Amino acid sequence: MSAINVGQAVVLGIVEGVTEFLPVSSTGHLKITEGLMGIPVKNDAVVGFSAVIQVGAIAAVLLYFFKDIVRIVSAWGRGLRDKEQRHSHDYKFAWWVIYATIPIVVVGLGAKSLIEGPLASLWVVAGSLIVGSGVMWAADRMGRHKRGEDDTSFKDAMLVGSSQILALLFPGFSRSGATMSTALILDLDRVAATRLSFFLGIPALTGAGLYELKDAGAGVGAVPLITGTVVSFVVAYASIAWLLKFVAKHSFNAFVIYRIVIGVLLFGLLGTGVLES
């Protein structure tokens, strides 16, 4: 019997698509939703399913930023062939994304048993949601928002890329929240911080989805897996478009408040036994 049916796959696909790139923790929301639907959160097939449907969200990023990605990859290819082309920002940025992905890969493989074990607890999710809110609130006020995307450096990429480890170890902290907060502390403006978060998430999340594919296939049928991935793609595309318009004119206050509310609610559900950790 499949660990997740088609109806549940649709719901999880929607949750993944809405929350993957918003700074509210897709992992946290997926775990909460799975718990409310009675799906075993720590089941290998369920963990794999959650990782694989992220590929749908990543496909949405690839499509939305297709022109940017083609420009960056083309510059990287030209630079590999011609030394004169290696001074362009796009060529350097391509390498920065690669280098900035290494820390999360190393920690992800080295701490896999902890990430899928004790750290997968919903108590950790609840605490991380609230603590991450404080970090985001402080970052939005500390940052001077004076640097654009063209002003990013190798140091920016490495620090922002490495911050993804927080979300890996503490589900609920939010990968987007961690990367955006770090970028804001480095004085990037909100749109630049958001776009950098998107680009750095592409290799990390794609790699996680492909790595977990073997576990998802073992306990989740092809139909639920495909359904969840497609739904995630459609919803994520709309979510990306909305987020970029939102951050151009608003602070992150709405996300901070929402995260605190969800974190407190989750503590309440766990404390009363409605959800099991």
Side-chain angles (χ1 to χ4, degrees):
M1 180 178 293
S2 175
I4 297 173
N5 61 43
V6 174
Q8 292 170 331
V10 170
V11 173
L12 293 175
I14 293 173
V15 171
E16 166 64 24
V18 170
T19 62
E20 181 59 58
F21 300 109
L22 301 187
V24 297
S25 176
S26 62
T27 300
H29 279 73
L30 284 172
K31 288 182 180 297
I32 293 170
T33 305
E34 289 163 358
L36 290 173
M37 291 194 297
I39 299 173
V41 175
K42 294 185 179 181
N43 182 288
D44 286 344
V46 175
V47 172
F49 174 87
S50 298
V52 172
I53 62 174
Q54 288 179 337
V55 176
I58 288 298
V61 174
L62 294 174
L63 179 61
Y64 192 91
F65 293 107
F66 182 74
K67 291 182 179 179
D68 295 294
I69 293 171
V70 169
R71 187 190 76 244
I72 293 169
V73 172
S74 297
W76 184 65
R78 289 193 299 271
L80 291 177
R81 297 190 302 272
D82 183 358
K83 291 183 178 180
E84 296 298 322
Q85 301 293 325
R86 296 176 185 177
H87 300 292
S88 74
H89 185 270
D90 285 338
Y91 171 79
K92 295 176 182 177
F93 185 76
W95 277 115
W96 297 346
V97 170
I98 294 172
Y99 294 144
T101 303
I102 295 174
I104 193 173
V105 172
V106 172
V107 174
L109 294 175
K112 189 173 187 293
S113 60
L114 285 174
I115 294 168
E116 296 181 357
L119 294 178
S121 168
L122 289 178
W123 288 105
V124 175
V125 172
S128 299
L129 278 166
I130 295 175
V131 172
S133 298
V135 173
M136 187 181 301
W137 180 85
D140 205 14
R141 278 149 187 79
M142 288 171 57
R144 290 176 286 178
H145 313 291
K146 67 176 184 178
R147 300 170 58 208
E149 188 174 347
D150 291 337
D151 300 317
T152 54
S153 65
F154 173 69
K155 175 183 175 182
D156 296 328
M158 289 303 297
L159 289 174
V160 174
S162 296
S163 70
Q164 296 178 108
I165 294 172
L166 287 171
L168 187 65
L169 296 177
F170 306 105
F173 201 97
S174 169
R175 189 202 65 82
S176 295
T179 52
M180 290 179 192
S181 295
T182 303
L184 290 173
I185 292 172
L186 294 170
D187 294 330
L188 291 177
D189 62 48
R190 295 186 183 100
V191 174
T194 302
R195 285 173 60 88
L196 182 58
S197 175
F198 285 143
F199 288 125
L200 289 174
I202 291 174
L205 295 178
T206 301
L210 295 176
Y211 181 79
E212 297 288 357
L213 183 60
K214 63 183 185 304
D215 292 329
V220 178
V223 174
L225 191 62
I226 293 172
T227 300
T229 304
V230 171
V231 171
S232 169
F233 166 78
V234 174
V235 176
Y237 190 92
S239 179
I240 293 167
W242 176 84
L243 179 61
L244 286 170
K245 291 179 180 178
F246 181 86
V247 298
K249 298 180 180 179
H250 302 85
S251 71
F252 287 99
N253 286 346
F255 298 119
V256 170
I257 295 171
Y258 174 80
R259 288 170 57 102
I260 292 174
V261 171
I262 294 298
V264 171
L265 177 61
L266 181 54
F267 270 128
L269 292 173
L270 291 169
T272 57
V274 174
L275 285 180
E276 294 184 1
S277 62

